[in-house]
Amino acid sequence: MNYVRSVLPLDFQSVPPDERPKTRAELIKEELADAIARGAIAPGVALDEVGLARRFGVSRTPIREAIRQLEAIGFAEARPRRGAVVAHFTQDRLNEMFAVMAELEALCSHWSALSMPAAEKAALRSLHEDCGAMAQSGQLDGYMELNFAFHEAIYRGSQNSYLAELTLGVRQRLAPFRRAQFLGFDRLKLSVIEHGRVVEAIERGDGPGAAEEMRRHLRIVRESVDEVKR
C-alpha cells in the first residue's frame, strides 16, 4: 500500500509544557486527513491497520484511534469485518459543506460586528496582525494555528455559544480541506487580505458587510481547494 510518507513529528519534546501535546493518534489522523484532502490517498483505498502501523512506526492501537477519528469527521467509512476505506467526496458534497460553512461563519461575523465587545475587537485586530506577520515570513504551520484562532474569535464574538459550537463542529469536518488550500499560490498573503476586510467591517459595526466579506472569503477557500487537487 503506497501511503503518503510521514512528515509530522511523532515525538513531543519541542511542545511547550503549558500546551497539551497532540496524541500520536491525533497526529496520524491529521496527516492522513490532509493527504485525503489533497487527493494523495484516493477514495476507496483501504486503511490497512498493519500497513499504517508499519508506515508510522507505531502499534495498531493509535492507528485504530486515528481511523476512528477519521470516521467521525467523515473522511473514512467503516465496512463490517473488512476495515475502513477512504470516503469519497464529490464536488457536489464539498460544495454543500462549504455553503453551510460560509453561511454559519457569515452569521458569526454579522453578529460579531453588532455584539463583540471593544476588547475582543482589539484582540481580533491583534490576531489579524499576527497572521499577517506569519504570512510575510512564510511560516505555514504558525499561520494555520493563528488562522484557526482568528476564526474561532469571530465565532465567540457572536455572543451566541450555540452558534459558536455549531460553527466549530462544521469547521472541524472541513479543517483538512481548509489546510490544503494553503498549498495554493500565495494563499497565505491573500488570506490575510480577505481577513482584513472582515475585521474592518466588524470594527465599524457593519453586520451585513462583515457577513458578505466572510462569505466571499469562504468562496475563495472553496475554489482554492479545487486548484490544489488538480
Side-chain angles (χ1 to χ4, degrees):
M1 196 68 62
N2 184 27
Y3 291 106
V4 64
R5 183 177 63 83
S6 176
V7 294
L8 291 179
L10 291 183
D11 65 82
F12 309 128
Q13 299 305 310
S14 62
V15 179
D18 59 336
E19 296 181 11
R20 184 188 73 83
K22 292 181 180 178
T23 65
R24 288 176 181 249
E26 288 170 334
L27 288 169
I28 292 167
K29 182 268 291 186
E30 284 188 2
E31 183 168 342
L32 290 174
D34 288 347
I36 292 167
R38 298 194 310 271
I41 304 179
V45 168
L47 295 171
D48 174 58
E49 291 181 9
V50 174
L52 286 170
R54 187 180 304 115
R55 169 69 65 178
F56 287 97
V58 297
S59 71
R60 293 174 66 177
T61 299
I63 296 299
R64 289 194 193 100
E65 176 59 21
I67 292 173
R68 188 196 66 77
Q69 292 178 18
L70 287 172
E71 291 171 352
I73 62 172
F75 274 64
E77 297 172 352
R79 302 178 304 175
R81 296 178 298 280
R82 291 187 297 166
V85 298
V86 174
H88 181 63
F89 289 93
T90 65
Q91 291 296 304
D92 286 344
R93 179 64 170 174
L94 278 176
N95 288 340
E96 290 172 351
M97 294 171 74
F98 270 95
V100 171
M101 183 82 266
E103 288 306 310
L104 287 172
E105 293 215 24
L107 185 57
C108 288
S109 300
H110 188 138
W111 287 1
S112 286
L114 303 180
S115 304
M116 183 182 280
E120 290 187 28
K121 288 185 178 181
L124 182 66
R125 167 61 68 176
S126 180
L127 266 175
H128 171 58
E129 292 172 353
D130 289 343
C131 282
M134 285 288 181
Q136 282 296 118
S137 58
Q139 297 184 53
L140 178 58
D141 290 342
Y143 183 84
M144 288 194 296
E145 185 175 332
L146 287 174
N147 177 63
F148 183 88
F150 173 85
H151 283 271
E152 192 174 11
I154 293 175
Y155 307 162
R156 290 195 307 270
S158 69
Q159 307 302 307
N160 185 307
S161 60
Y162 180 71
L163 174 61
E165 178 184 337
L166 186 63
T167 307
L168 183 59
V170 176
R171 181 190 173 86
Q172 288 171 339
R173 293 181 71 93
L174 280 170
F177 290 105
R178 295 181 73 153
R179 285 195 296 269
Q181 66 158 319
F182 294 120
L183 299 175
F185 176 73
D186 225 12
R187 270 306 294 157
L188 288 183
K189 294 178 182 178
L190 292 175
S191 179
V192 171
I193 293 171
E194 294 154 22
H195 284 179
R197 297 183 182 126
V198 176
V199 173
E200 289 168 4
I202 289 174
E203 287 177 332
R204 65 175 180 265
D206 179 3
E212 186 51 39
E213 291 298 346
M214 185 59 84
R215 286 192 193 94
R216 183 177 293 114
H217 172 53
L218 268 295
R219 284 196 296 268
I220 295 171
V221 172
R222 173 68 187 96
E223 292 166 0
S224 297
V225 170
D226 280 347
E227 290 174 5
V228 168
K229 294 182 71 173
R230 284 175 189 154

